[in-house]
Amino acid sequence: MAMAMPMPMPMQLWSSSSSSACCAGLKPFVLGAQQERPGGAGELIRSGSVRAIRPSEAAGMLRGEGGFRLLDVRPAWEREKARVGGSLHVPLFVADPDNGPLTLLKRWVHFGYVGLWTGQLLTTVNHRFVADVEAQVPDKATKLLVACGEGLRSLMAVRLLHEGGYENLGWLAGGFNRCVDGDFPDVEGSSKLQYATIGGVSYIFLQLLLLLRVIGKESKER
């Protein structure tokens, strides 16, 4: 008996980023756990051990007296779409290379529920994340502003980095999705930074929405 392909779920129920998709349905619970566990990211931010920085403030933190370096923890395919020039890149999640039966089944289910809608790949945790950051930033007193698409992956990353001995961490609150044009002056890539996590069918809907917005604006100006 043939199995029916799962229908894509509404975008708001799933993270638009591939790595968040691994726990998208549990996102509120994962975020809550990060915030409530002793030494969790939420506690680090509330205590001031990690500084929450809004996208509108980020450019100022990256230059002059701010002295932060931007660490992008998104997977490579999101970064290729749009990135801040000069930023460091160490993904917290990477594509899952395993081709065993269980992973193939997970990949199929992921495509039906997430991949088709968002255009994202099945991912797994980068177990070398802290070591990879250390290779690029050996001085753990360096100021690092950690960023991702929505703020969840970076929240997880700052906890790992803090546990790994990094002393001056910032978290991009809400992620790149919360930024607007001009927040980061040196954006590279084919997409706007705030849209880089969007792909698949949802990207088509986004383009239609933007087109309708332009048409509506032109109609009002006539």
Side-chain angles (χ1 to χ4, degrees):
M1 180 177 179
M3 296 180 67
M5 174 66 77
M7 293 299 292
M9 295 184 71
M11 188 174 180
Q12 64 268 27
L13 296 183
W14 291 94
S15 166
S16 59
S17 58
S18 58
S19 48
S20 296
C22 73
C23 56
L26 299 177
K27 181 174 178 180
F29 305 100
V30 173
L31 184 56
Q34 287 289 329
Q35 292 175 336
E36 298 304 327
R37 61 168 286 186
E43 182 178 310
L44 293 174
I45 291 170
R46 287 193 298 271
S47 68
S49 298
V50 173
R51 181 174 179 179
I53 298 172
R54 294 190 296 267
S56 59
E57 303 170 327
M61 294 293 103
L62 296 173
R63 60 173 182 263
E65 296 182 0
F68 278 87
R69 299 185 68 184
L70 183 62
L71 174 61
D72 186 342
V73 301
R74 298 174 300 164
W77 51 89
E78 285 184 32
R79 182 175 168 84
E80 287 173 2
K81 293 180 183 178
R83 58 201 169 274
V84 178
S87 59
L88 304 171
H89 180 231
V90 179
L92 180 61
F93 289 84
V94 294
D96 191 340
D98 181 56
N99 288 314
L102 181 58
T103 301
L104 291 175
L105 176 61
K106 289 192 293 184
R107 194 172 293 154
W108 177 81
V109 173
H110 175 274
F111 175 77
Y113 281 112
V114 180
L116 178 63
W117 185 256
T118 67
Q120 308 297 338
L121 304 178
L122 178 67
T123 58
T124 188
V125 174
N126 175 11
H127 295 289
R128 288 189 48 82
F129 173 72
V130 174
D132 289 345
V133 174
E134 290 172 338
Q136 294 194 42
V137 189
D139 183 0
K140 295 190 176 181
T142 301
K143 293 182 178 180
L144 292 176
L145 174 55
V146 186
C148 68
E150 295 182 330
L152 177 59
R153 291 166 290 183
S154 52
L155 197 64
M156 299 166 67
V158 293
R159 179 180 60 80
L160 293 174
L161 292 171
H162 186 269
E163 292 176 352
Y166 283 88
E167 305 168 0
N168 296 300
L169 296 170
W171 169 62
L172 188 67
F176 291 127
N177 289 8
R178 295 282 185 173
C179 75
V180 298
D181 294 348
D183 280 347
F184 294 91
D186 302 317
V187 178
E188 302 171 351
S190 60
S191 173
K192 290 189 176 185
L193 199 55
Q194 57 267 43
Y195 300 148
T197 60
I198 303 174
V201 175
S202 60
Y203 182 77
I204 298 174
F205 285 131
L206 172 65
Q207 295 303 310
L208 289 173
L209 178 63
L210 294 176
L211 177 60
L212 290 173
R213 185 179 297 175
V214 170
I215 293 174
K217 183 177 180 181
E218 292 178 348
S219 298
K220 290 181 180 179
E221 292 175 350
R222 290 176 182 172

